[in-house]
Amino acid sequence: MNHRRTTTIATLAAGLALCAGSASAQPGVEANRESPRQAADTRAVPASHVSLVGDAPLDGPVVWPAKENAAPVYWRAFMLYVADEAFKGTDWSAMLRKPGEGDYALTEAETTAIEGAEGVIASLLKAAEVEGCDWEVDYEDGIGALLPHLGPLRNGTRMLAVDARRCVGEGDLDGAVDRLVAMHAMARHARVDGVLISSLVSVAIAAFTTDQTSAMLGQVALTEAQRDRLLAAIEAYDDEDPFAIKAAVRNEGQWLTAWLAEMSREGRLGEQLDVIFDFGEGVDAEQIERLRRMTDEEIIEDLRRCRQFYMDVLGFWNERDAVDRAEVLSELIGQGHYGRFAEFLVPSLTKVRESDERGRGQLETSVRELMQEQLAPSN
């Protein structure tokens, strides 16, 4: 076993033990000694909250618990990555040269770098195999809700793309396809929380994956089985809403207006407006003051009008002229038709609709390329 990797995992385990308050990780404390309160707390944990292996016969086979949520599996991969000093400053994107920019194949140094990430790669592949994914976003934080998984998720897809090139160089086309299929799964996992930025990241990962598929097809011929796996990965997107953008538009219209209404009821709207306008540009003091002077009843009515904008956009989202019609509604926002909150709360749904269309188009292009591919004979 690689000594550096062993040290990293051991160090990580020790750190987690310290974070959890493990007595065995604290010098001078006996590991097995519990206070009566600690013992009572342990016994009080409901059985439904404890994950157990169940029957595990020594003579096998063991049926391990099925994973239902990919998110914690991804986070283990993310933690392995940040715990390894060797990855700091590594630019995986620079290794993904496009046609005309250099060789598709990795250099010796690049191969060595991605080989050192085998533990992270294995965890990413395992996470991508899990169908369900729940990032457990803190929706109650409203516009301040954090999405810390999006950056590591995109970085993970770049690592898988580099590793796919390593596989191609070693003649392991099944392994390369495994990684591209996993990247499509990561695009679908990015979209699940009903937040527009997450859906746009889903579009970006899917587009990146189709680009990497095209680059690979320029180097090798796939078997029918390998091609069909990539087609199935694309078919796994929902035709009606492949990146869950419509779902996110609907969710944000409900979520953020409800959150602002609750802030108003709790007397915290003023402080939240200060935070919101710190994020934006071009908002004058008079606009902020108008919002502050609104009564609770006026706020609820204004937020109801803001919600209507989202519903109006969704009414024509799949129409061919959706971008033009969204632009018209955006102009109505500026005229106050959808209330004062809509002037700063509503994102540019025209651009979002254009991104949705581009993403759909790239998936369709990838399907055509795969169907037109000259297949290699099966072994």
Side-chain angles (χ1 to χ4, degrees):
M1 180 177 291
N2 184 297
H3 176 67
R4 177 169 63 82
R5 187 73 62 242
T6 303
T7 303
T8 297
I9 295 174
T11 304
L12 181 60
L16 290 173
L18 285 169
C19 290
S22 169
S24 62
Q26 303 174 43
V29 179
E30 293 183 29
N32 296 325
R33 181 174 296 173
E34 287 185 323
S35 68
R37 173 66 178 273
Q38 289 173 321
D41 287 347
T42 301
R43 290 194 298 272
V45 175
S48 61
H49 294 178
V50 179
S51 296
L52 300 174
V53 172
D55 292 334
L58 294 178
D59 54 355
V62 178
V63 179
W64 302 112
K67 290 179 173 57
E68 299 179 352
N69 185 10
V73 190
Y74 280 121
W75 277 113
R76 286 194 280 276
F78 302 160
M79 292 170 68
L80 283 173
Y81 185 85
V82 299
D84 198 321
E85 295 285 335
F87 298 140
K88 288 189 176 179
T90 302
D91 184 0
W92 304 108
S93 295
M95 305 179 192
L96 299 170
R97 289 169 288 276
K98 299 178 181 179
E101 295 180 354
D103 291 339
Y104 175 89
L106 301 180
T107 65
E108 184 177 348
E110 290 167 347
T111 300
T112 299
I114 196 62
E115 285 177 344
E118 60 182 348
V120 179
I121 297 293
S123 292
L124 291 172
L125 292 173
K126 182 181 291 187
E129 290 179 351
V130 182
E131 183 174 353
C133 188
D134 183 358
W135 299 105
E136 298 196 357
V137 174
D138 293 324
Y139 296 105
E140 66 273 17
D141 291 343
I143 201 169
L146 300 178
L147 304 169
H149 54 281
L150 294 181
L153 201 62
R154 294 192 69 172
N155 186 60
T157 61
R158 288 189 284 267
M159 294 180 70
L160 287 178
V162 173
D163 205 44
R165 295 195 179 204
R166 177 193 63 79
C167 291
V168 170
E170 296 177 358
D172 179 13
L173 296 190
D174 284 332
V177 170
D178 286 343
R179 282 139 183 82
L180 292 169
V181 168
M183 291 160 64
H184 277 301
M186 292 167 77
R188 296 193 300 274
H189 285 155
R191 67 185 181 177
V192 298
D193 49 31
V195 182
L196 274 173
I197 187 61
S198 299
S199 288
L200 293 176
V201 168
S202 176
V203 173
I205 293 176
F208 173 69
T209 304
T210 60
D211 286 345
Q212 295 305 308
T213 301
S214 295
M216 184 184 71
L217 293 178
Q219 303 294 314
V220 298
L222 301 179
T223 65
E224 183 177 4
Q226 292 163 346
R227 182 205 60 185
D228 289 350
R229 290 188 60 212
L230 288 169
L231 288 172
I234 295 174
E235 290 170 2
Y237 293 86
D238 176 16
D239 286 343
E240 174 66 21
D241 193 14
F243 312 107
I245 288 181
K246 286 180 62 178
V249 170
R250 184 179 297 106
N251 184 63
E252 286 202 6
Q254 298 287 314
W255 162 41
L256 293 177
T257 52
W259 173 72
L260 285 169
E262 183 158 293
M263 292 300 98
S264 176
R265 288 192 296 273
E266 295 179 358
R268 298 172 55 199
L269 183 59
E271 67 183 73
Q272 295 300 332
L273 290 175
D274 290 338
V275 173
I276 291 169
F277 288 123
D278 277 345
F279 292 155
E281 297 179 357
V283 180
D284 57 34
E286 183 178 348
Q287 182 180 5
I288 300 174
E289 189 56 33
R290 285 199 302 268
L291 292 169
R292 290 182 184 279
R293 289 198 302 265
M294 293 172 69
T295 65
D296 289 345
E297 291 77 13
E298 290 172 333
I299 289 171
I300 294 300
E301 179 56 31
D302 197 275
L303 290 172
R304 186 174 288 112
R305 292 168 67 188
C306 181
R307 275 191 176 185
Q308 188 59 46
F309 172 83
Y310 290 90
M311 300 311 296
D312 288 349
V313 170
L314 287 172
F316 56 74
W317 191 264
N318 288 339
E319 302 297 329
R320 290 185 177 181
D321 61 348
V323 171
D324 292 336
R325 293 170 70 176
E327 189 63 39
V328 171
L329 292 192
S330 295
E331 292 175 1
L332 291 177
I333 289 178
Q335 299 169 15
H337 181 77
Y338 288 103
R340 294 173 180 170
F341 280 98
E343 294 179 23
F344 69 87
L345 189 64
V346 173
S348 176
L349 293 184
T350 302
K351 294 181 179 179
V352 171
R353 178 61 179 78
E354 290 172 342
S355 295
D356 189 14
E357 190 171 344
R358 282 196 303 272
R360 291 169 183 258
Q362 285 170 296
L363 290 178
E364 291 169 1
T365 298
S366 190
V367 169
R368 286 196 298 272
E369 290 178 349
L370 287 164
M371 292 302 296
Q372 295 167 3
E373 175 69 10
Q374 185 68 40
L375 297 176
S378 301
N379 293 331

